[in-house]
Amino acid sequence: MALLLSLLTTLVLCSYGPVGSLGCDLPRDSVLLSKETLVLLGQMRRVSPSLCLKDRRDFRFPQEMVTGSQLQKAQAVSVLQGTLQQTLSLFHTERSSAAWNATLLDQLLTVLHQQLEGTKSCMEEVTGKEASARTAKDPTLRYFRATLWRYFRGVRLYLQEKKYSDCAWEVVRMEIMRAFSSSAKLQERLRSKNENLQSS
């Protein structure tokens, strides 16, 4: 949970375009799309979480991976892009289609895809400003990518272990929803802070 929350915090920071430190401009509706993701995940609930207590899982990722560190431009955008790609991939499977309401799932996939497309143009802008060879060899970025891959691999193995049960999908839904919820709250705080800076 800590890892995904930290990565989605990166999404929030990326959402402020030229005001932020990334040097690229994500679409202005990225904050709204993030909130829409949260709403859709909430609507997708099929089972009461109280029925799935025995299935809860702590995916145990170190919060210190990004806490307190200053991500470089390409690092932040790459982490954001990887998070969206992995989340999209997780929900874009036959097993996922069988688990969720088809209409809500299609809407979620559309919103995630829109956010991912926004990061692609941003990534192109950033890598145009930085040496791509140096970026590819960046040990911090490689560590983030590897940790992100392991996180989602753990989620997939958990689903497989639980035979893709309704409760297993509910645990995964709640995991991602909590992260997006924290992200949305942080977005509001940052927006307020940004407005205060512009007015002073």
Side-chain angles (χ1 to χ4, degrees), residues 1 4 45 47-49 51-59 90-91 100 151 155 158-159 162 165-178:
M1 175 60 198
L4 189 54
R45 187 178 97 170
V47 204
S48 172
L51 299 175
C52 302
L53 297 178
K54 68 180 188 320
D55 294 290
R56 287 186 303 181
R57 175 71 54 93
D58 181 0
F59 293 100
L90 180 67
F91 283 100
W100 304 112
Y151 173 80
V155 171
Y158 165 79
L159 287 167
K162 296 290 184 178
S165 69
D166 287 346
C167 273
W169 276 113
E170 177 61 17
V171 167
V172 169
R173 183 195 69 83
M174 288 190 300
E175 168 88 359
I176 294 175
M177 187 174 177
R178 278 193 301 267

PDB file of all heavy atoms in Angstrom, residues 1 4 45 47-49 51-59 90-91 100 151 155 158-159 162 165-178:
ATOM      1  N   MET A   1       0.818  -1.196   0.000  1.00  0.00           N
ATOM      2  CA  MET A   1       0.000   0.000   0.000  1.00  0.00           C
ATOM      3  C   MET A   1       0.859   1.256   0.000  1.00  0.00           C
ATOM      4  O   MET A   1       0.597   2.209  -0.697  1.00  0.00           O
ATOM      5  CB  MET A   1      -0.920  -0.021   1.231  1.00  0.00           C
ATOM      6  CG  MET A   1      -1.743   1.241   1.415  1.00  0.00           C
ATOM      7  SD  MET A   1      -2.804   1.506  -0.002  1.00  0.00           S
ATOM      8  CE  MET A   1      -3.194   3.211   0.213  1.00  0.00           C
ATOM      9  N   LEU A   4       2.263   2.019  -3.533  1.00  0.00           N
ATOM     10  CA  LEU A   4       1.295   2.529  -4.489  1.00  0.00           C
ATOM     11  C   LEU A   4       0.874   3.936  -4.118  1.00  0.00           C
ATOM     12  O   LEU A   4       0.715   4.802  -4.976  1.00  0.00           O
ATOM     13  CB  LEU A   4       0.077   1.607  -4.549  1.00  0.00           C
ATOM     14  CG  LEU A   4      -0.926   1.903  -5.667  1.00  0.00           C
ATOM     15  CD1 LEU A   4      -0.244   1.928  -7.023  1.00  0.00           C
ATOM     16  CD2 LEU A   4      -2.037   0.885  -5.656  1.00  0.00           C
ATOM     17  N   ARG A  45     -17.638  -1.992  -6.299  1.00  0.00           N
ATOM     18  CA  ARG A  45     -17.717  -2.941  -5.184  1.00  0.00           C
ATOM     19  C   ARG A  45     -18.853  -3.937  -5.382  1.00  0.00           C
ATOM     20  O   ARG A  45     -19.980  -3.558  -5.659  1.00  0.00           O
ATOM     21  CB  ARG A  45     -17.929  -2.190  -3.861  1.00  0.00           C
ATOM     22  CG  ARG A  45     -17.838  -3.109  -2.670  1.00  0.00           C
ATOM     23  CD  ARG A  45     -18.003  -2.348  -1.391  1.00  0.00           C
ATOM     24  NE  ARG A  45     -19.397  -2.457  -0.942  1.00  0.00           N
ATOM     25  CZ  ARG A  45     -19.836  -2.059   0.233  1.00  0.00           C
ATOM     26  NH1 ARG A  45     -19.027  -1.469   1.073  1.00  0.00           N
ATOM     27  NH2 ARG A  45     -21.090  -2.213   0.561  1.00  0.00           N
ATOM     28  N   VAL A  47     -18.777  -7.016  -3.218  1.00  0.00           N
ATOM     29  CA  VAL A  47     -18.865  -7.795  -1.985  1.00  0.00           C
ATOM     30  C   VAL A  47     -18.591  -6.869  -0.810  1.00  0.00           C
ATOM     31  O   VAL A  47     -17.770  -5.959  -0.918  1.00  0.00           O
ATOM     32  CB  VAL A  47     -17.783  -8.908  -1.937  1.00  0.00           C
ATOM     33  CG1 VAL A  47     -18.218 -10.033  -1.014  1.00  0.00           C
ATOM     34  CG2 VAL A  47     -17.441  -9.437  -3.295  1.00  0.00           C
ATOM     35  N   SER A  48     -19.236  -7.106   0.296  1.00  0.00           N
ATOM     36  CA  SER A  48     -18.961  -6.319   1.493  1.00  0.00           C
ATOM     37  C   SER A  48     -17.555  -6.642   1.985  1.00  0.00           C
ATOM     38  O   SER A  48     -17.216  -7.825   2.156  1.00  0.00           O
ATOM     39  CB  SER A  48     -19.978  -6.640   2.586  1.00  0.00           C
ATOM     40  OG  SER A  48     -19.596  -6.024   3.793  1.00  0.00           O
ATOM     41  N   PRO A  49     -16.730  -5.620   2.237  1.00  0.00           N
ATOM     42  CA  PRO A  49     -15.370  -5.877   2.729  1.00  0.00           C
ATOM     43  C   PRO A  49     -15.352  -6.687   4.021  1.00  0.00           C
ATOM     44  O   PRO A  49     -14.401  -7.439   4.280  1.00  0.00           O
ATOM     45  CB  PRO A  49     -14.808  -4.465   2.958  1.00  0.00           C
ATOM     46  CG  PRO A  49     -15.594  -3.594   2.030  1.00  0.00           C
ATOM     47  CD  PRO A  49     -16.971  -4.194   1.992  1.00  0.00           C
ATOM     48  N   LEU A  51     -16.941  -9.250   4.677  1.00  0.00           N
ATOM     49  CA  LEU A  51     -16.985 -10.669   4.361  1.00  0.00           C
ATOM     50  C   LEU A  51     -15.626 -11.202   3.888  1.00  0.00           C
ATOM     51  O   LEU A  51     -15.459 -12.399   3.702  1.00  0.00           O
ATOM     52  CB  LEU A  51     -18.030 -10.938   3.279  1.00  0.00           C
ATOM     53  CG  LEU A  51     -19.486 -10.580   3.613  1.00  0.00           C
ATOM     54  CD1 LEU A  51     -20.374 -10.800   2.405  1.00  0.00           C
ATOM     55  CD2 LEU A  51     -19.965 -11.403   4.810  1.00  0.00           C
ATOM     56  N   CYS A  52     -14.682 -10.283   3.693  1.00  0.00           N
ATOM     57  CA  CYS A  52     -13.393 -10.668   3.108  1.00  0.00           C
ATOM     58  C   CYS A  52     -12.218 -10.435   4.063  1.00  0.00           C
ATOM     59  O   CYS A  52     -11.067 -10.351   3.622  1.00  0.00           O
ATOM     60  CB  CYS A  52     -13.160  -9.875   1.817  1.00  0.00           C
ATOM     61  SG  CYS A  52     -14.454 -10.120   0.578  1.00  0.00           S
ATOM     62  N   LEU A  53     -12.495 -10.322   5.354  1.00  0.00           N
ATOM     63  CA  LEU A  53     -11.435 -10.028   6.317  1.00  0.00           C
ATOM     64  C   LEU A  53     -10.332 -11.085   6.295  1.00  0.00           C
ATOM     65  O   LEU A  53      -9.150 -10.765   6.427  1.00  0.00           O
ATOM     66  CB  LEU A  53     -12.018  -9.890   7.729  1.00  0.00           C
ATOM     67  CG  LEU A  53     -13.002  -8.728   7.914  1.00  0.00           C
ATOM     68  CD1 LEU A  53     -13.546  -8.728   9.338  1.00  0.00           C
ATOM     69  CD2 LEU A  53     -12.327  -7.397   7.595  1.00  0.00           C
ATOM     70  N   LYS A  54     -10.703 -12.331   6.125  1.00  0.00           N
ATOM     71  CA  LYS A  54      -9.710 -13.413   6.131  1.00  0.00           C
ATOM     72  C   LYS A  54      -8.819 -13.378   4.883  1.00  0.00           C
ATOM     73  O   LYS A  54      -7.752 -14.004   4.853  1.00  0.00           O
ATOM     74  CB  LYS A  54     -10.398 -14.769   6.244  1.00  0.00           C
ATOM     75  CG  LYS A  54     -11.210 -15.176   5.025  1.00  0.00           C
ATOM     76  CD  LYS A  54     -11.869 -16.536   5.233  1.00  0.00           C
ATOM     77  CE  LYS A  54     -12.537 -17.089   3.986  1.00  0.00           C
ATOM     78  NZ  LYS A  54     -13.251 -16.144   3.164  1.00  0.00           N
ATOM     79  N   ASP A  55      -9.233 -12.644   3.884  1.00  0.00           N
ATOM     80  CA  ASP A  55      -8.462 -12.570   2.632  1.00  0.00           C
ATOM     81  C   ASP A  55      -7.543 -11.351   2.563  1.00  0.00           C
ATOM     82  O   ASP A  55      -6.821 -11.190   1.582  1.00  0.00           O
ATOM     83  CB  ASP A  55      -9.417 -12.537   1.436  1.00  0.00           C
ATOM     84  CG  ASP A  55     -10.186 -13.836   1.285  1.00  0.00           C
ATOM     85  OD1 ASP A  55      -9.559 -14.844   0.924  1.00  0.00           O
ATOM     86  OD2 ASP A  55     -11.405 -13.842   1.549  1.00  0.00           O
ATOM     87  N   ARG A  56      -7.597 -10.503   3.583  1.00  0.00           N
ATOM     88  CA  ARG A  56      -6.769  -9.296   3.537  1.00  0.00           C
ATOM     89  C   ARG A  56      -5.295  -9.645   3.414  1.00  0.00           C
ATOM     90  O   ARG A  56      -4.845 -10.658   3.925  1.00  0.00           O
ATOM     91  CB  ARG A  56      -6.992  -8.437   4.784  1.00  0.00           C
ATOM     92  CG  ARG A  56      -8.341  -7.729   4.767  1.00  0.00           C
ATOM     93  CD  ARG A  56      -8.472  -6.781   5.924  1.00  0.00           C
ATOM     94  NE  ARG A  56      -8.274  -7.490   7.205  1.00  0.00           N
ATOM     95  CZ  ARG A  56      -8.359  -6.901   8.384  1.00  0.00           C
ATOM     96  NH1 ARG A  56      -8.618  -5.619   8.470  1.00  0.00           N
ATOM     97  NH2 ARG A  56      -8.183  -7.597   9.489  1.00  0.00           N
ATOM     98  N   ARG A  57      -4.564  -8.789   2.727  1.00  0.00           N
ATOM     99  CA  ARG A  57      -3.134  -9.031   2.498  1.00  0.00           C
ATOM    100  C   ARG A  57      -2.376  -7.720   2.592  1.00  0.00           C
ATOM    101  O   ARG A  57      -2.776  -6.712   2.012  1.00  0.00           O
ATOM    102  CB  ARG A  57      -2.942  -9.645   1.109  1.00  0.00           C
ATOM    103  CG  ARG A  57      -1.516  -9.851   0.664  1.00  0.00           C
ATOM    104  CD  ARG A  57      -0.806 -10.967   1.398  1.00  0.00           C
ATOM    105  NE  ARG A  57      -1.513 -12.234   1.341  1.00  0.00           N
ATOM    106  CZ  ARG A  57      -1.284 -13.172   0.426  1.00  0.00           C
ATOM    107  NH1 ARG A  57      -0.398 -12.981  -0.523  1.00  0.00           N
ATOM    108  NH2 ARG A  57      -1.959 -14.308   0.462  1.00  0.00           N
ATOM    109  N   ASP A  58      -1.285  -7.755   3.319  1.00  0.00           N
ATOM    110  CA  ASP A  58      -0.373  -6.621   3.355  1.00  0.00           C
ATOM    111  C   ASP A  58       0.718  -6.918   2.337  1.00  0.00           C
ATOM    112  O   ASP A  58       1.503  -7.857   2.515  1.00  0.00           O
ATOM    113  CB  ASP A  58       0.212  -6.458   4.760  1.00  0.00           C
ATOM    114  CG  ASP A  58       1.166  -5.278   4.865  1.00  0.00           C
ATOM    115  OD1 ASP A  58       1.370  -4.588   3.839  1.00  0.00           O
ATOM    116  OD2 ASP A  58       1.702  -5.053   5.957  1.00  0.00           O
ATOM    117  N   PHE A  59       0.786  -6.112   1.292  1.00  0.00           N
ATOM    118  CA  PHE A  59       1.741  -6.386   0.225  1.00  0.00           C
ATOM    119  C   PHE A  59       3.166  -5.935   0.567  1.00  0.00           C
ATOM    120  O   PHE A  59       4.090  -6.180  -0.196  1.00  0.00           O
ATOM    121  CB  PHE A  59       1.252  -5.776  -1.093  1.00  0.00           C
ATOM    122  CG  PHE A  59       0.009  -6.451  -1.605  1.00  0.00           C
ATOM    123  CD1 PHE A  59      -1.236  -5.877  -1.403  1.00  0.00           C
ATOM    124  CD2 PHE A  59       0.082  -7.663  -2.258  1.00  0.00           C
ATOM    125  CE1 PHE A  59      -2.392  -6.511  -1.855  1.00  0.00           C
ATOM    126  CE2 PHE A  59      -1.060  -8.302  -2.722  1.00  0.00           C
ATOM    127  CZ  PHE A  59      -2.301  -7.719  -2.513  1.00  0.00           C
ATOM    128  N   LEU A  90      -3.634  -4.796 -15.081  1.00  0.00           N
ATOM    129  CA  LEU A  90      -4.260  -5.631 -14.051  1.00  0.00           C
ATOM    130  C   LEU A  90      -5.761  -5.779 -14.281  1.00  0.00           C
ATOM    131  O   LEU A  90      -6.323  -6.858 -14.119  1.00  0.00           O
ATOM    132  CB  LEU A  90      -3.999  -5.013 -12.669  1.00  0.00           C
ATOM    133  CG  LEU A  90      -4.586  -5.738 -11.467  1.00  0.00           C
ATOM    134  CD1 LEU A  90      -3.914  -7.094 -11.274  1.00  0.00           C
ATOM    135  CD2 LEU A  90      -4.430  -4.884 -10.212  1.00  0.00           C
ATOM    136  N   PHE A  91      -6.398  -4.683 -14.670  1.00  0.00           N
ATOM    137  CA  PHE A  91      -7.846  -4.698 -14.857  1.00  0.00           C
ATOM    138  C   PHE A  91      -8.270  -5.050 -16.282  1.00  0.00           C
ATOM    139  O   PHE A  91      -9.454  -5.190 -16.558  1.00  0.00           O
ATOM    140  CB  PHE A  91      -8.451  -3.345 -14.453  1.00  0.00           C
ATOM    141  CG  PHE A  91      -8.555  -3.164 -12.970  1.00  0.00           C
ATOM    142  CD1 PHE A  91      -7.620  -2.420 -12.276  1.00  0.00           C
ATOM    143  CD2 PHE A  91      -9.592  -3.745 -12.255  1.00  0.00           C
ATOM    144  CE1 PHE A  91      -7.710  -2.264 -10.904  1.00  0.00           C
ATOM    145  CE2 PHE A  91      -9.695  -3.591 -10.890  1.00  0.00           C
ATOM    146  CZ  PHE A  91      -8.745  -2.846 -10.205  1.00  0.00           C
ATOM    147  N   TRP A 100     -15.997  -8.134 -12.682  1.00  0.00           N
ATOM    148  CA  TRP A 100     -16.599  -6.814 -12.477  1.00  0.00           C
ATOM    149  C   TRP A 100     -17.759  -6.550 -13.432  1.00  0.00           C
ATOM    150  O   TRP A 100     -17.860  -7.153 -14.497  1.00  0.00           O
ATOM    151  CB  TRP A 100     -15.539  -5.721 -12.672  1.00  0.00           C
ATOM    152  CG  TRP A 100     -14.344  -5.875 -11.801  1.00  0.00           C
ATOM    153  CD1 TRP A 100     -13.077  -6.178 -12.191  1.00  0.00           C
ATOM    154  CD2 TRP A 100     -14.295  -5.751 -10.372  1.00  0.00           C
ATOM    155  NE1 TRP A 100     -12.243  -6.252 -11.110  1.00  0.00           N
ATOM    156  CE2 TRP A 100     -12.967  -5.987  -9.978  1.00  0.00           C
ATOM    157  CE3 TRP A 100     -15.256  -5.463  -9.395  1.00  0.00           C
ATOM    158  CZ2 TRP A 100     -12.567  -5.951  -8.644  1.00  0.00           C
ATOM    159  CZ3 TRP A 100     -14.852  -5.422  -8.061  1.00  0.00           C
ATOM    160  CH2 TRP A 100     -13.527  -5.670  -7.703  1.00  0.00           C
ATOM    161  N   TYR A 151       5.769  -5.273  -7.133  1.00  0.00           N
ATOM    162  CA  TYR A 151       4.518  -4.985  -6.435  1.00  0.00           C
ATOM    163  C   TYR A 151       3.328  -5.589  -7.188  1.00  0.00           C
ATOM    164  O   TYR A 151       2.522  -6.319  -6.627  1.00  0.00           O
ATOM    165  CB  TYR A 151       4.332  -3.478  -6.284  1.00  0.00           C
ATOM    166  CG  TYR A 151       2.988  -3.106  -5.729  1.00  0.00           C
ATOM    167  CD1 TYR A 151       2.738  -3.190  -4.361  1.00  0.00           C
ATOM    168  CD2 TYR A 151       1.957  -2.696  -6.567  1.00  0.00           C
ATOM    169  CE1 TYR A 151       1.500  -2.869  -3.838  1.00  0.00           C
ATOM    170  CE2 TYR A 151       0.722  -2.371  -6.058  1.00  0.00           C
ATOM    171  CZ  TYR A 151       0.501  -2.453  -4.695  1.00  0.00           C
ATOM    172  OH  TYR A 151      -0.731  -2.138  -4.196  1.00  0.00           O
ATOM    173  N   VAL A 155       0.600  -8.689  -6.504  1.00  0.00           N
ATOM    174  CA  VAL A 155      -0.859  -8.594  -6.585  1.00  0.00           C
ATOM    175  C   VAL A 155      -1.408  -9.705  -7.476  1.00  0.00           C
ATOM    176  O   VAL A 155      -2.394 -10.371  -7.136  1.00  0.00           O
ATOM    177  CB  VAL A 155      -1.290  -7.212  -7.117  1.00  0.00           C
ATOM    178  CG1 VAL A 155      -2.785  -7.179  -7.409  1.00  0.00           C
ATOM    179  CG2 VAL A 155      -0.918  -6.111  -6.117  1.00  0.00           C
ATOM    180  N   TYR A 158      -1.157 -13.031  -5.779  1.00  0.00           N
ATOM    181  CA  TYR A 158      -2.185 -13.112  -4.739  1.00  0.00           C
ATOM    182  C   TYR A 158      -3.527 -13.521  -5.345  1.00  0.00           C
ATOM    183  O   TYR A 158      -4.214 -14.407  -4.846  1.00  0.00           O
ATOM    184  CB  TYR A 158      -2.308 -11.768  -4.021  1.00  0.00           C
ATOM    185  CG  TYR A 158      -3.559 -11.627  -3.201  1.00  0.00           C
ATOM    186  CD1 TYR A 158      -3.673 -12.221  -1.947  1.00  0.00           C
ATOM    187  CD2 TYR A 158      -4.649 -10.897  -3.693  1.00  0.00           C
ATOM    188  CE1 TYR A 158      -4.831 -12.094  -1.197  1.00  0.00           C
ATOM    189  CE2 TYR A 158      -5.806 -10.772  -2.951  1.00  0.00           C
ATOM    190  CZ  TYR A 158      -5.890 -11.367  -1.706  1.00  0.00           C
ATOM    191  OH  TYR A 158      -7.047 -11.247  -0.974  1.00  0.00           O
ATOM    192  N   LEU A 159      -3.897 -12.884  -6.440  1.00  0.00           N
ATOM    193  CA  LEU A 159      -5.149 -13.225  -7.120  1.00  0.00           C
ATOM    194  C   LEU A 159      -5.135 -14.683  -7.583  1.00  0.00           C
ATOM    195  O   LEU A 159      -6.127 -15.408  -7.447  1.00  0.00           O
ATOM    196  CB  LEU A 159      -5.376 -12.296  -8.316  1.00  0.00           C
ATOM    197  CG  LEU A 159      -5.790 -10.864  -7.990  1.00  0.00           C
ATOM    198  CD1 LEU A 159      -5.673  -9.982  -9.233  1.00  0.00           C
ATOM    199  CD2 LEU A 159      -7.204 -10.815  -7.447  1.00  0.00           C
ATOM    200  N   LYS A 162      -5.532 -17.013  -4.646  1.00  0.00           N
ATOM    201  CA  LYS A 162      -6.908 -17.008  -4.152  1.00  0.00           C
ATOM    202  C   LYS A 162      -7.905 -17.440  -5.229  1.00  0.00           C
ATOM    203  O   LYS A 162      -9.121 -17.326  -5.045  1.00  0.00           O
ATOM    204  CB  LYS A 162      -7.278 -15.609  -3.651  1.00  0.00           C
ATOM    205  CG  LYS A 162      -6.468 -15.144  -2.454  1.00  0.00           C
ATOM    206  CD  LYS A 162      -6.837 -15.928  -1.215  1.00  0.00           C
ATOM    207  CE  LYS A 162      -6.115 -15.416   0.012  1.00  0.00           C
ATOM    208  NZ  LYS A 162      -6.516 -16.147   1.226  1.00  0.00           N
ATOM    209  N   SER A 165     -10.954 -15.178  -6.609  1.00  0.00           N
ATOM    210  CA  SER A 165     -12.252 -15.146  -5.919  1.00  0.00           C
ATOM    211  C   SER A 165     -12.775 -13.716  -5.842  1.00  0.00           C
ATOM    212  O   SER A 165     -12.028 -12.747  -6.012  1.00  0.00           O
ATOM    213  CB  SER A 165     -12.111 -15.711  -4.501  1.00  0.00           C
ATOM    214  OG  SER A 165     -11.335 -14.828  -3.697  1.00  0.00           O
ATOM    215  N   ASP A 166     -14.056 -13.585  -5.578  1.00  0.00           N
ATOM    216  CA  ASP A 166     -14.657 -12.262  -5.427  1.00  0.00           C
ATOM    217  C   ASP A 166     -13.965 -11.480  -4.312  1.00  0.00           C
ATOM    218  O   ASP A 166     -13.729 -10.271  -4.435  1.00  0.00           O
ATOM    219  CB  ASP A 166     -16.156 -12.382  -5.120  1.00  0.00           C
ATOM    220  CG  ASP A 166     -16.961 -12.821  -6.342  1.00  0.00           C
ATOM    221  OD1 ASP A 166     -16.422 -12.771  -7.471  1.00  0.00           O
ATOM    222  OD2 ASP A 166     -18.126 -13.222  -6.161  1.00  0.00           O
ATOM    223  N   CYS A 167     -13.657 -12.159  -3.206  1.00  0.00           N
ATOM    224  CA  CYS A 167     -12.995 -11.482  -2.093  1.00  0.00           C
ATOM    225  C   CYS A 167     -11.580 -11.036  -2.455  1.00  0.00           C
ATOM    226  O   CYS A 167     -11.133  -9.955  -2.052  1.00  0.00           O
ATOM    227  CB  CYS A 167     -12.969 -12.371  -0.846  1.00  0.00           C
ATOM    228  SG  CYS A 167     -14.459 -12.230   0.179  1.00  0.00           S
ATOM    229  N   ALA A 168     -10.871 -11.851  -3.234  1.00  0.00           N
ATOM    230  CA  ALA A 168      -9.520 -11.458  -3.653  1.00  0.00           C
ATOM    231  C   ALA A 168      -9.566 -10.197  -4.500  1.00  0.00           C
ATOM    232  O   ALA A 168      -8.783  -9.261  -4.300  1.00  0.00           O
ATOM    233  CB  ALA A 168      -8.861 -12.602  -4.421  1.00  0.00           C
ATOM    234  N   TRP A 169     -10.515 -10.143  -5.427  1.00  0.00           N
ATOM    235  CA  TRP A 169     -10.658  -8.937  -6.251  1.00  0.00           C
ATOM    236  C   TRP A 169     -11.077  -7.747  -5.393  1.00  0.00           C
ATOM    237  O   TRP A 169     -10.668  -6.614  -5.643  1.00  0.00           O
ATOM    238  CB  TRP A 169     -11.673  -9.174  -7.369  1.00  0.00           C
ATOM    239  CG  TRP A 169     -11.107  -9.845  -8.570  1.00  0.00           C
ATOM    240  CD1 TRP A 169     -11.399 -11.093  -9.033  1.00  0.00           C
ATOM    241  CD2 TRP A 169     -10.135  -9.309  -9.481  1.00  0.00           C
ATOM    242  NE1 TRP A 169     -10.676 -11.364 -10.166  1.00  0.00           N
ATOM    243  CE2 TRP A 169      -9.890 -10.291 -10.469  1.00  0.00           C
ATOM    244  CE3 TRP A 169      -9.450  -8.099  -9.546  1.00  0.00           C
ATOM    245  CZ2 TRP A 169      -8.989 -10.099 -11.513  1.00  0.00           C
ATOM    246  CZ3 TRP A 169      -8.545  -7.904 -10.586  1.00  0.00           C
ATOM    247  CH2 TRP A 169      -8.327  -8.887 -11.559  1.00  0.00           C
ATOM    248  N   GLU A 170     -11.892  -8.002  -4.373  1.00  0.00           N
ATOM    249  CA  GLU A 170     -12.309  -6.918  -3.488  1.00  0.00           C
ATOM    250  C   GLU A 170     -11.124  -6.348  -2.718  1.00  0.00           C
ATOM    251  O   GLU A 170     -11.001  -5.135  -2.546  1.00  0.00           O
ATOM    252  CB  GLU A 170     -13.388  -7.409  -2.516  1.00  0.00           C
ATOM    253  CG  GLU A 170     -13.857  -6.386  -1.509  1.00  0.00           C
ATOM    254  CD  GLU A 170     -14.475  -5.145  -2.124  1.00  0.00           C
ATOM    255  OE1 GLU A 170     -14.861  -5.160  -3.317  1.00  0.00           O
ATOM    256  OE2 GLU A 170     -14.580  -4.132  -1.406  1.00  0.00           O
ATOM    257  N   VAL A 171     -10.226  -7.218  -2.258  1.00  0.00           N
ATOM    258  CA  VAL A 171      -9.023  -6.764  -1.561  1.00  0.00           C
ATOM    259  C   VAL A 171      -8.172  -5.896  -2.485  1.00  0.00           C
ATOM    260  O   VAL A 171      -7.678  -4.838  -2.090  1.00  0.00           O
ATOM    261  CB  VAL A 171      -8.210  -7.975  -1.039  1.00  0.00           C
ATOM    262  CG1 VAL A 171      -6.818  -7.552  -0.589  1.00  0.00           C
ATOM    263  CG2 VAL A 171      -8.948  -8.649   0.110  1.00  0.00           C
ATOM    264  N   VAL A 172      -8.018  -6.323  -3.733  1.00  0.00           N
ATOM    265  CA  VAL A 172      -7.236  -5.562  -4.706  1.00  0.00           C
ATOM    266  C   VAL A 172      -7.915  -4.230  -5.012  1.00  0.00           C
ATOM    267  O   VAL A 172      -7.268  -3.177  -5.074  1.00  0.00           O
ATOM    268  CB  VAL A 172      -7.030  -6.389  -5.994  1.00  0.00           C
ATOM    269  CG1 VAL A 172      -6.448  -5.534  -7.109  1.00  0.00           C
ATOM    270  CG2 VAL A 172      -6.131  -7.586  -5.703  1.00  0.00           C
ATOM    271  N   ARG A 173      -9.231  -4.261  -5.183  1.00  0.00           N
ATOM    272  CA  ARG A 173      -9.969  -3.020  -5.453  1.00  0.00           C
ATOM    273  C   ARG A 173      -9.783  -2.014  -4.314  1.00  0.00           C
ATOM    274  O   ARG A 173      -9.526  -0.833  -4.536  1.00  0.00           O
ATOM    275  CB  ARG A 173     -11.459  -3.331  -5.639  1.00  0.00           C
ATOM    276  CG  ARG A 173     -12.308  -2.102  -6.003  1.00  0.00           C
ATOM    277  CD  ARG A 173     -13.798  -2.388  -5.821  1.00  0.00           C
ATOM    278  NE  ARG A 173     -14.158  -2.543  -4.425  1.00  0.00           N
ATOM    279  CZ  ARG A 173     -14.414  -1.522  -3.597  1.00  0.00           C
ATOM    280  NH1 ARG A 173     -14.356  -0.285  -4.028  1.00  0.00           N
ATOM    281  NH2 ARG A 173     -14.727  -1.752  -2.335  1.00  0.00           N
ATOM    282  N   MET A 174      -9.896  -2.496  -3.080  1.00  0.00           N
ATOM    283  CA  MET A 174      -9.742  -1.601  -1.925  1.00  0.00           C
ATOM    284  C   MET A 174      -8.321  -1.062  -1.821  1.00  0.00           C
ATOM    285  O   MET A 174      -8.117   0.101  -1.464  1.00  0.00           O
ATOM    286  CB  MET A 174     -10.121  -2.329  -0.631  1.00  0.00           C
ATOM    287  CG  MET A 174     -11.616  -2.567  -0.498  1.00  0.00           C
ATOM    288  SD  MET A 174     -12.085  -3.168   1.155  1.00  0.00           S
ATOM    289  CE  MET A 174     -11.150  -4.692   1.262  1.00  0.00           C
ATOM    290  N   GLU A 175      -7.348  -1.894  -2.142  1.00  0.00           N
ATOM    291  CA  GLU A 175      -5.943  -1.463  -2.105  1.00  0.00           C
ATOM    292  C   GLU A 175      -5.722  -0.280  -3.039  1.00  0.00           C
ATOM    293  O   GLU A 175      -5.159   0.745  -2.662  1.00  0.00           O
ATOM    294  CB  GLU A 175      -5.055  -2.643  -2.525  1.00  0.00           C
ATOM    295  CG  GLU A 175      -3.620  -2.302  -2.803  1.00  0.00           C
ATOM    296  CD  GLU A 175      -2.741  -2.361  -1.565  1.00  0.00           C
ATOM    297  OE1 GLU A 175      -3.247  -2.652  -0.480  1.00  0.00           O
ATOM    298  OE2 GLU A 175      -1.540  -2.100  -1.704  1.00  0.00           O
ATOM    299  N   ILE A 176      -6.187  -0.411  -4.260  1.00  0.00           N
ATOM    300  CA  ILE A 176      -5.981   0.646  -5.241  1.00  0.00           C
ATOM    301  C   ILE A 176      -6.868   1.849  -4.939  1.00  0.00           C
ATOM    302  O   ILE A 176      -6.455   2.998  -5.111  1.00  0.00           O
ATOM    303  CB  ILE A 176      -6.210   0.096  -6.667  1.00  0.00           C
ATOM    304  CG1 ILE A 176      -5.122  -0.942  -6.966  1.00  0.00           C
ATOM    305  CG2 ILE A 176      -6.194   1.205  -7.705  1.00  0.00           C
ATOM    306  CD1 ILE A 176      -5.270  -1.665  -8.259  1.00  0.00           C
ATOM    307  N   MET A 177      -8.060   1.597  -4.443  1.00  0.00           N
ATOM    308  CA  MET A 177      -8.959   2.696  -4.117  1.00  0.00           C
ATOM    309  C   MET A 177      -8.413   3.554  -2.969  1.00  0.00           C
ATOM    310  O   MET A 177      -8.516   4.785  -3.011  1.00  0.00           O
ATOM    311  CB  MET A 177     -10.339   2.144  -3.745  1.00  0.00           C
ATOM    312  CG  MET A 177     -11.373   3.233  -3.563  1.00  0.00           C
ATOM    313  SD  MET A 177     -13.015   2.526  -3.287  1.00  0.00           S
ATOM    314  CE  MET A 177     -13.934   4.036  -3.018  1.00  0.00           C
ATOM    315  N   ARG A 178      -7.823   2.928  -1.959  1.00  0.00           N
ATOM    316  CA  ARG A 178      -7.240   3.691  -0.852  1.00  0.00           C
ATOM    317  C   ARG A 178      -6.136   4.607  -1.360  1.00  0.00           C
ATOM    318  O   ARG A 178      -6.009   5.746  -0.932  1.00  0.00           O
ATOM    319  CB  ARG A 178      -6.684   2.744   0.221  1.00  0.00           C
ATOM    320  CG  ARG A 178      -7.724   2.233   1.183  1.00  0.00           C
ATOM    321  CD  ARG A 178      -7.078   1.565   2.383  1.00  0.00           C
ATOM    322  NE  ARG A 178      -6.233   0.436   2.004  1.00  0.00           N
ATOM    323  CZ  ARG A 178      -6.654  -0.815   1.958  1.00  0.00           C
ATOM    324  NH1 ARG A 178      -7.908  -1.107   2.235  1.00  0.00           N
ATOM    325  NH2 ARG A 178      -5.821  -1.779   1.625  1.00  0.00           N
TER     326      ARG A 178
END
